[in-house]
Amino acid sequence: MSVIVILIIASILVAIGFLTAFIWSVKSGQYDDTYSPSVRILFDDTTPKKDLAKKSK
C-alpha cells in the first residue's frame, strides 16, 4: 500500500514539472508564431551560391 502512495507522489511531482515547463515555454514566447516555421522550408535561401564558389576553389 505504501508503494502506491510513493508512486502517486512521484507522478504528481512529474506532472508539476511538466506543467512548469509548459508555462515557462508559453511565457517565453515559443508558441507565439505557429505559421512561419511550417512554411520556412518552402523559401529558398540566396546565400549558398557564395558558399559553393568558395568550396570549389
Side-chain angles (χ1 to χ4, degrees):
M1 189 69 177
S2 65
V3 173
I4 292 175
V5 173
I6 292 171
L7 289 175
I8 289 172
I9 292 171
S11 66
I12 288 173
L13 290 176
V14 169
I16 289 172
F18 279 111
L19 180 65
T20 304
F22 176 73
I23 290 171
W24 172 78
S25 66
V26 168
K27 285 188 177 184
S28 68
Q30 293 187 14
Y31 294 105
D32 286 347
D33 186 16
T34 58
Y35 178 71
S36 65
S38 62
V39 297
R40 188 177 306 151
I41 197 169
L42 300 175
F43 299 114
D44 287 334
D45 195 14
T46 58
T47 55
K49 290 182 181 178
K50 292 180 181 178
D51 292 337
L52 290 176
K54 289 181 182 177
K55 289 182 181 178
S56 65
K57 289 183 180 178

Short mmCIF file of all heavy atoms in Angstrom, two decimals:
data_model
loop_
_atom_site.label_atom_id
_atom_site.label_comp_id
_atom_site.label_asym_id
_atom_site.label_seq_id
_atom_site.Cartn_x
_atom_site.Cartn_y
_atom_site.Cartn_z
N MET A 1 0.82 -1.19 0.00
CA MET A 1 0.00 0.00 0.00
C MET A 1 0.86 1.25 0.00
O MET A 1 0.50 2.24 -0.59
CB MET A 1 -0.92 -0.02 1.22
CG MET A 1 -1.95 1.05 1.21
SD MET A 1 -3.13 0.72 -0.09
CE MET A 1 -4.26 2.02 0.15
N SER A 2 2.01 1.19 0.68
CA SER A 2 2.87 2.37 0.74
C SER A 2 3.53 2.66 -0.60
O SER A 2 3.90 3.80 -0.87
CB SER A 2 3.92 2.21 1.83
OG SER A 2 4.79 1.15 1.50
N VAL A 3 3.66 1.63 -1.44
CA VAL A 3 4.25 1.82 -2.76
C VAL A 3 3.32 2.68 -3.62
O VAL A 3 3.77 3.55 -4.39
CB VAL A 3 4.52 0.46 -3.44
CG1 VAL A 3 4.97 0.66 -4.87
CG2 VAL A 3 5.54 -0.31 -2.66
N ILE A 4 2.03 2.49 -3.47
CA ILE A 4 1.06 3.27 -4.24
C ILE A 4 1.15 4.75 -3.85
O ILE A 4 1.11 5.62 -4.71
CB ILE A 4 -0.36 2.72 -4.03
CG1 ILE A 4 -0.47 1.35 -4.67
CG2 ILE A 4 -1.40 3.66 -4.60
CD1 ILE A 4 -1.79 0.66 -4.41
N VAL A 5 1.32 5.03 -2.59
CA VAL A 5 1.44 6.41 -2.14
C VAL A 5 2.70 7.05 -2.71
O VAL A 5 2.68 8.19 -3.17
CB VAL A 5 1.43 6.47 -0.59
CG1 VAL A 5 1.73 7.87 -0.11
CG2 VAL A 5 0.12 5.97 -0.05
N ILE A 6 3.79 6.29 -2.72
CA ILE A 6 5.05 6.81 -3.27
C ILE A 6 4.89 7.07 -4.77
O ILE A 6 5.35 8.09 -5.28
CB ILE A 6 6.19 5.82 -2.98
CG1 ILE A 6 6.48 5.79 -1.49
CG2 ILE A 6 7.45 6.20 -3.75
CD1 ILE A 6 7.45 4.71 -1.06
N LEU A 7 4.24 6.16 -5.49
CA LEU A 7 4.04 6.35 -6.93
C LEU A 7 3.13 7.53 -7.23
O LEU A 7 3.35 8.27 -8.19
CB LEU A 7 3.49 5.08 -7.55
CG LEU A 7 4.46 3.91 -7.65
CD1 LEU A 7 3.75 2.68 -8.18
CD2 LEU A 7 5.63 4.27 -8.53
N ILE A 8 2.12 7.72 -6.41
CA ILE A 8 1.22 8.87 -6.61
C ILE A 8 1.97 10.18 -6.37
O ILE A 8 1.86 11.12 -7.16
CB ILE A 8 -0.02 8.76 -5.69
CG1 ILE A 8 -0.92 7.64 -6.17
CG2 ILE A 8 -0.77 10.08 -5.63
CD1 ILE A 8 -2.07 7.32 -5.24
N ILE A 9 2.76 10.22 -5.35
CA ILE A 9 3.55 11.44 -5.06
C ILE A 9 4.56 11.69 -6.17
O ILE A 9 4.72 12.82 -6.64
CB ILE A 9 4.23 11.31 -3.68
CG1 ILE A 9 3.18 11.34 -2.58
CG2 ILE A 9 5.25 12.43 -3.48
CD1 ILE A 9 3.72 11.00 -1.21
N ALA A 10 5.21 10.63 -6.64
CA ALA A 10 6.18 10.79 -7.73
C ALA A 10 5.50 11.26 -9.01
O ALA A 10 6.02 12.13 -9.72
CB ALA A 10 6.91 9.48 -7.97
N SER A 11 4.32 10.72 -9.32
CA SER A 11 3.63 11.14 -10.54
C SER A 11 3.13 12.57 -10.44
O SER A 11 3.14 13.31 -11.42
CB SER A 11 2.47 10.19 -10.84
OG SER A 11 1.49 10.29 -9.83
N ILE A 12 2.73 12.99 -9.26
CA ILE A 12 2.32 14.39 -9.06
C ILE A 12 3.51 15.32 -9.24
O ILE A 12 3.40 16.37 -9.88
CB ILE A 12 1.65 14.57 -7.68
CG1 ILE A 12 0.27 13.90 -7.69
CG2 ILE A 12 1.51 16.05 -7.33
CD1 ILE A 12 -0.40 13.86 -6.34
N LEU A 13 4.67 14.92 -8.75
CA LEU A 13 5.87 15.75 -8.92
C LEU A 13 6.26 15.85 -10.39
O LEU A 13 6.64 16.92 -10.88
CB LEU A 13 7.02 15.19 -8.10
CG LEU A 13 6.88 15.32 -6.59
CD1 LEU A 13 8.04 14.63 -5.88
CD2 LEU A 13 6.80 16.78 -6.19
N VAL A 14 6.15 14.75 -11.14
CA VAL A 14 6.47 14.78 -12.57
C VAL A 14 5.47 15.66 -13.30
O VAL A 14 5.84 16.45 -14.19
CB VAL A 14 6.49 13.34 -13.14
CG1 VAL A 14 6.55 13.36 -14.65
CG2 VAL A 14 7.66 12.57 -12.57
N ALA A 15 4.19 15.55 -12.95
CA ALA A 15 3.17 16.38 -13.59
C ALA A 15 3.40 17.85 -13.31
O ALA A 15 3.23 18.70 -14.20
CB ALA A 15 1.78 15.94 -13.11
N ILE A 16 3.77 18.18 -12.10
CA ILE A 16 4.07 19.58 -11.75
C ILE A 16 5.28 20.07 -12.55
O ILE A 16 5.30 21.20 -13.02
CB ILE A 16 4.29 19.73 -10.23
CG1 ILE A 16 2.96 19.55 -9.51
CG2 ILE A 16 4.91 21.08 -9.89
CD1 ILE A 16 3.09 19.48 -8.00
N GLY A 17 6.26 19.21 -12.75
CA GLY A 17 7.43 19.57 -13.55
C GLY A 17 7.05 19.87 -14.99
O GLY A 17 7.50 20.86 -15.58
N PHE A 18 6.22 19.02 -15.59
CA PHE A 18 5.78 19.26 -16.96
C PHE A 18 4.92 20.51 -17.06
O PHE A 18 5.02 21.26 -18.03
CB PHE A 18 5.03 18.04 -17.51
CG PHE A 18 5.94 16.96 -17.99
CD1 PHE A 18 6.01 15.76 -17.30
CD2 PHE A 18 6.72 17.13 -19.11
CE1 PHE A 18 6.84 14.75 -17.73
CE2 PHE A 18 7.57 16.12 -19.55
CZ PHE A 18 7.63 14.93 -18.86
N LEU A 19 4.06 20.73 -16.09
CA LEU A 19 3.23 21.93 -16.10
C LEU A 19 4.09 23.19 -16.00
O LEU A 19 3.85 24.17 -16.71
CB LEU A 19 2.21 21.88 -14.97
CG LEU A 19 1.26 23.08 -14.87
CD1 LEU A 19 0.36 23.13 -16.10
CD2 LEU A 19 0.42 22.99 -13.61
N THR A 20 5.09 23.14 -15.15
CA THR A 20 6.00 24.28 -15.01
C THR A 20 6.75 24.53 -16.31
O THR A 20 6.90 25.68 -16.74
CB THR A 20 6.99 24.02 -13.86
OG1 THR A 20 6.26 23.76 -12.66
CG2 THR A 20 7.91 25.20 -13.66
N ALA A 21 7.22 23.47 -16.96
CA ALA A 21 7.92 23.63 -18.24
C ALA A 21 7.00 24.19 -19.31
O ALA A 21 7.41 25.04 -20.11
CB ALA A 21 8.49 22.29 -18.69
N PHE A 22 5.75 23.76 -19.34
CA PHE A 22 4.80 24.27 -20.32
C PHE A 22 4.51 25.74 -20.08
O PHE A 22 4.49 26.54 -21.03
CB PHE A 22 3.50 23.46 -20.27
CG PHE A 22 2.44 23.98 -21.17
CD1 PHE A 22 2.54 23.82 -22.54
CD2 PHE A 22 1.34 24.66 -20.66
CE1 PHE A 22 1.56 24.32 -23.38
CE2 PHE A 22 0.36 25.15 -21.48
CZ PHE A 22 0.47 24.97 -22.85
N ILE A 23 4.29 26.12 -18.83
CA ILE A 23 4.01 27.52 -18.52
C ILE A 23 5.22 28.39 -18.86
O ILE A 23 5.09 29.47 -19.43
CB ILE A 23 3.60 27.67 -17.04
CG1 ILE A 23 2.22 27.05 -16.83
CG2 ILE A 23 3.61 29.13 -16.60
CD1 ILE A 23 1.80 26.95 -15.38
N TRP A 24 6.42 27.89 -18.57
CA TRP A 24 7.63 28.64 -18.91
C TRP A 24 7.76 28.82 -20.42
O TRP A 24 8.12 29.90 -20.90
CB TRP A 24 8.86 27.91 -18.36
CG TRP A 24 10.13 28.53 -18.83
CD1 TRP A 24 10.72 29.66 -18.37
CD2 TRP A 24 10.95 28.05 -19.89
NE1 TRP A 24 11.86 29.91 -19.08
CE2 TRP A 24 12.02 28.94 -20.01
CE3 TRP A 24 10.88 26.96 -20.75
CZ2 TRP A 24 13.02 28.75 -20.96
CZ3 TRP A 24 11.86 26.79 -21.68
CH2 TRP A 24 12.92 27.67 -21.78
N SER A 25 7.46 27.77 -21.19
CA SER A 25 7.59 27.89 -22.64
C SER A 25 6.56 28.83 -23.23
O SER A 25 6.84 29.55 -24.18
CB SER A 25 7.50 26.52 -23.30
OG SER A 25 6.21 25.98 -23.13
N VAL A 26 5.36 28.85 -22.68
CA VAL A 26 4.33 29.78 -23.18
C VAL A 26 4.72 31.22 -22.84
O VAL A 26 4.60 32.10 -23.69
CB VAL A 26 2.95 29.43 -22.58
CG1 VAL A 26 1.94 30.53 -22.85
CG2 VAL A 26 2.46 28.11 -23.16
N LYS A 27 5.22 31.44 -21.65
CA LYS A 27 5.61 32.80 -21.26
C LYS A 27 6.84 33.29 -22.01
O LYS A 27 7.01 34.48 -22.21
CB LYS A 27 5.87 32.87 -19.76
CG LYS A 27 4.60 32.85 -18.95
CD LYS A 27 4.88 33.10 -17.49
CE LYS A 27 3.57 33.17 -16.73
NZ LYS A 27 3.77 33.50 -15.33
N SER A 28 7.72 32.39 -22.45
CA SER A 28 8.92 32.81 -23.17
C SER A 28 8.66 33.05 -24.65
O SER A 28 9.55 33.47 -25.36
CB SER A 28 10.03 31.80 -22.98
OG SER A 28 9.70 30.58 -23.64
N GLY A 29 7.44 32.75 -25.12
CA GLY A 29 7.08 33.09 -26.50
C GLY A 29 7.29 32.00 -27.51
O GLY A 29 7.32 32.28 -28.72
N GLN A 30 7.47 30.77 -27.11
CA GLN A 30 7.72 29.70 -28.06
C GLN A 30 6.48 29.34 -28.88
O GLN A 30 6.61 28.73 -29.93
CB GLN A 30 8.22 28.46 -27.33
CG GLN A 30 9.59 28.67 -26.74
CD GLN A 30 10.13 27.39 -26.18
OE1 GLN A 30 9.63 26.31 -26.44
NE2 GLN A 30 11.19 27.49 -25.40
N TYR A 31 5.31 29.72 -28.43
CA TYR A 31 4.09 29.40 -29.16
C TYR A 31 3.47 30.64 -29.81
O TYR A 31 2.33 30.58 -30.25
CB TYR A 31 3.08 28.74 -28.22
CG TYR A 31 3.52 27.39 -27.73
CD1 TYR A 31 3.97 27.23 -26.45
CD2 TYR A 31 3.49 26.30 -28.58
CE1 TYR A 31 4.39 25.99 -25.99
CE2 TYR A 31 3.90 25.06 -28.14
CZ TYR A 31 4.34 24.91 -26.85
OH TYR A 31 4.74 23.69 -26.41
N ASP A 32 4.20 31.75 -29.87
CA ASP A 32 3.65 32.96 -30.45
C ASP A 32 3.47 32.84 -31.96
O ASP A 32 2.45 33.23 -32.50
CB ASP A 32 4.55 34.15 -30.15
CG ASP A 32 4.44 34.59 -28.71
OD1 ASP A 32 3.51 34.15 -28.03
OD2 ASP A 32 5.30 35.37 -28.28
N ASP A 33 4.46 32.34 -32.67
CA ASP A 33 4.40 32.25 -34.12
C ASP A 33 4.27 30.78 -34.51
O ASP A 33 5.24 30.03 -34.50
CB ASP A 33 5.66 32.83 -34.73
CG ASP A 33 5.58 32.88 -36.23
OD1 ASP A 33 4.47 32.75 -36.78
OD2 ASP A 33 6.63 33.07 -36.87
N THR A 34 3.08 30.38 -34.88
CA THR A 34 2.87 28.98 -35.25
C THR A 34 2.81 28.79 -36.76
O THR A 34 2.78 27.66 -37.23
CB THR A 34 1.57 28.44 -34.65
OG1 THR A 34 0.48 29.25 -35.11
CG2 THR A 34 1.61 28.47 -33.13
N TYR A 35 2.85 29.86 -37.55
CA TYR A 35 2.71 29.74 -39.00
C TYR A 35 4.06 29.70 -39.73
O TYR A 35 4.29 28.82 -40.56
CB TYR A 35 1.87 30.90 -39.54
CG TYR A 35 1.72 30.85 -41.04
CD1 TYR A 35 0.94 29.86 -41.63
CD2 TYR A 35 2.37 31.75 -41.85
CE1 TYR A 35 0.81 29.79 -43.00
CE2 TYR A 35 2.25 31.69 -43.21
CZ TYR A 35 1.47 30.71 -43.79
OH TYR A 35 1.36 30.65 -45.15
N SER A 36 4.95 30.62 -39.43
CA SER A 36 6.18 30.73 -40.22
C SER A 36 7.13 29.54 -40.12
O SER A 36 7.78 29.22 -41.12
CB SER A 36 6.90 32.03 -39.91
OG SER A 36 7.36 32.04 -38.60
N PRO A 37 7.26 28.84 -39.01
CA PRO A 37 8.14 27.67 -39.02
C PRO A 37 7.67 26.56 -39.97
O PRO A 37 8.49 25.85 -40.54
CB PRO A 37 8.11 27.18 -37.58
CG PRO A 37 7.77 28.35 -36.79
CD PRO A 37 6.85 29.17 -37.65
N SER A 38 6.37 26.48 -40.20
CA SER A 38 5.89 25.42 -41.10
C SER A 38 6.11 25.75 -42.56
O SER A 38 6.18 24.85 -43.39
CB SER A 38 4.40 25.17 -40.85
OG SER A 38 3.66 26.33 -41.13
N VAL A 39 6.25 27.02 -42.94
CA VAL A 39 6.46 27.39 -44.34
C VAL A 39 7.89 27.86 -44.60
O VAL A 39 8.23 28.18 -45.73
CB VAL A 39 5.47 28.49 -44.79
CG1 VAL A 39 4.05 27.96 -44.72
CG2 VAL A 39 5.61 29.74 -43.99
N ARG A 40 8.73 27.92 -43.60
CA ARG A 40 10.10 28.39 -43.76
C ARG A 40 10.89 27.51 -44.73
O ARG A 40 11.74 27.98 -45.48
CB ARG A 40 10.80 28.42 -42.41
CG ARG A 40 12.17 29.08 -42.47
CD ARG A 40 12.81 29.17 -41.12
NE ARG A 40 11.92 29.82 -40.16
CZ ARG A 40 11.93 29.56 -38.87
NH1 ARG A 40 12.76 28.69 -38.37
NH2 ARG A 40 11.11 30.18 -38.05
N ILE A 41 10.61 26.24 -44.79
CA ILE A 41 11.33 25.33 -45.66
C ILE A 41 10.99 25.57 -47.13
O ILE A 41 11.75 25.20 -48.02
CB ILE A 41 11.05 23.88 -45.25
CG1 ILE A 41 12.09 22.96 -45.86
CG2 ILE A 41 9.65 23.46 -45.63
CD1 ILE A 41 12.06 21.57 -45.29
N LEU A 42 9.88 26.22 -47.40
CA LEU A 42 9.46 26.45 -48.78
C LEU A 42 10.21 27.59 -49.45
O LEU A 42 10.22 27.69 -50.67
CB LEU A 42 7.95 26.73 -48.82
CG LEU A 42 7.07 25.62 -48.26
CD1 LEU A 42 5.62 26.06 -48.25
CD2 LEU A 42 7.23 24.37 -49.09
N PHE A 43 10.83 28.47 -48.68
CA PHE A 43 11.53 29.61 -49.24
C PHE A 43 13.00 29.27 -49.44
O PHE A 43 13.65 28.69 -48.58
CB PHE A 43 11.40 30.82 -48.32
CG PHE A 43 9.96 31.25 -48.13
CD1 PHE A 43 9.36 31.13 -46.90
CD2 PHE A 43 9.23 31.74 -49.19
CE1 PHE A 43 8.05 31.51 -46.71
CE2 PHE A 43 7.91 32.12 -49.01
CZ PHE A 43 7.32 32.01 -47.79
N ASP A 44 13.52 29.65 -50.60
CA ASP A 44 14.93 29.40 -50.90
C ASP A 44 15.80 30.42 -50.20
O ASP A 44 15.45 31.57 -50.02
CB ASP A 44 15.17 29.50 -52.39
CG ASP A 44 14.60 28.31 -53.10
OD1 ASP A 44 14.48 27.25 -52.48
OD2 ASP A 44 14.28 28.45 -54.30
N ASP A 45 16.97 29.99 -49.87
CA ASP A 45 17.94 30.88 -49.27
C ASP A 45 18.94 31.27 -50.34
O ASP A 45 19.45 30.42 -51.07
CB ASP A 45 18.64 30.16 -48.12
CG ASP A 45 19.38 31.10 -47.23
OD1 ASP A 45 19.14 32.31 -47.34
OD2 ASP A 45 20.17 30.62 -46.41
N THR A 46 19.28 32.55 -50.47
CA THR A 46 20.13 33.01 -51.57
C THR A 46 21.61 32.97 -51.23
O THR A 46 22.44 33.11 -52.10
CB THR A 46 19.75 34.43 -51.97
OG1 THR A 46 19.87 35.27 -50.84
CG2 THR A 46 18.33 34.48 -52.52
N THR A 47 22.00 32.77 -50.01
CA THR A 47 23.41 32.83 -49.62
C THR A 47 24.24 31.61 -50.01
O THR A 47 25.44 31.73 -50.15
CB THR A 47 23.55 33.06 -48.11
OG1 THR A 47 22.82 32.05 -47.42
CG2 THR A 47 23.01 34.42 -47.74
N PRO A 48 23.72 30.42 -50.27
CA PRO A 48 24.59 29.29 -50.57
C PRO A 48 25.39 29.42 -51.85
O PRO A 48 26.40 28.75 -52.01
CB PRO A 48 23.64 28.10 -50.68
CG PRO A 48 22.48 28.47 -49.87
CD PRO A 48 22.36 29.95 -50.01
N LYS A 49 25.01 30.30 -52.81
CA LYS A 49 25.78 30.44 -54.03
C LYS A 49 27.20 30.89 -53.74
O LYS A 49 28.16 30.41 -54.33
CB LYS A 49 25.10 31.43 -54.98
CG LYS A 49 23.82 30.89 -55.55
CD LYS A 49 23.19 31.88 -56.50
CE LYS A 49 21.89 31.32 -57.05
NZ LYS A 49 21.22 32.26 -57.96
N LYS A 50 27.38 31.82 -52.81
CA LYS A 50 28.72 32.29 -52.46
C LYS A 50 29.49 31.18 -51.75
O LYS A 50 30.69 31.03 -51.96
CB LYS A 50 28.63 33.51 -51.57
CG LYS A 50 28.09 34.72 -52.28
CD LYS A 50 28.03 35.92 -51.35
CE LYS A 50 27.47 37.13 -52.08
NZ LYS A 50 27.37 38.29 -51.17
N ASP A 51 28.84 30.42 -50.94
CA ASP A 51 29.50 29.34 -50.22
C ASP A 51 29.95 28.24 -51.17
O ASP A 51 31.01 27.67 -51.00
CB ASP A 51 28.56 28.75 -49.17
CG ASP A 51 28.28 29.73 -48.05
OD1 ASP A 51 29.09 30.65 -47.85
OD2 ASP A 51 27.25 29.57 -47.39
N LEU A 52 29.17 27.95 -52.21
CA LEU A 52 29.55 26.93 -53.18
C LEU A 52 30.77 27.37 -53.97
O LEU A 52 31.63 26.56 -54.31
CB LEU A 52 28.38 26.63 -54.12
CG LEU A 52 27.21 25.89 -53.48
CD1 LEU A 52 26.07 25.74 -54.49
CD2 LEU A 52 27.65 24.53 -53.01
N ALA A 53 30.88 28.67 -54.30
CA ALA A 53 32.02 29.18 -55.04
C ALA A 53 33.29 29.06 -54.21
O ALA A 53 34.36 28.74 -54.73
CB ALA A 53 31.78 30.62 -55.45
N LYS A 54 33.20 29.29 -52.91
CA LYS A 54 34.38 29.18 -52.03
C LYS A 54 34.81 27.74 -51.86
O LYS A 54 36.00 27.44 -51.81
CB LYS A 54 34.06 29.79 -50.67
CG LYS A 54 33.95 31.29 -50.69
CD LYS A 54 33.66 31.82 -49.30
CE LYS A 54 33.50 33.33 -49.33
NZ LYS A 54 33.16 33.85 -48.00
N LYS A 55 33.87 26.83 -51.82
CA LYS A 55 34.21 25.42 -51.62
C LYS A 55 34.85 24.80 -52.85
O LYS A 55 35.65 23.89 -52.75
CB LYS A 55 32.97 24.63 -51.23
CG LYS A 55 32.47 24.94 -49.84
CD LYS A 55 31.27 24.12 -49.49
CE LYS A 55 30.77 24.45 -48.09
NZ LYS A 55 29.56 23.71 -47.74
N SER A 56 34.52 25.30 -54.06
CA SER A 56 35.05 24.70 -55.29
C SER A 56 36.49 25.09 -55.52
O SER A 56 37.20 24.44 -56.28
CB SER A 56 34.18 25.11 -56.48
OG SER A 56 34.27 26.52 -56.69
N LYS A 57 37.00 26.14 -54.86
CA LYS A 57 38.39 26.58 -55.08
C LYS A 57 39.36 25.70 -54.41
O LYS A 57 39.50 25.06 -53.62
CB LYS A 57 38.57 28.02 -54.59
CG LYS A 57 37.87 29.01 -55.48
CD LYS A 57 38.14 30.41 -55.01
CE LYS A 57 37.43 31.41 -55.91
NZ LYS A 57 37.62 32.78 -55.45
#
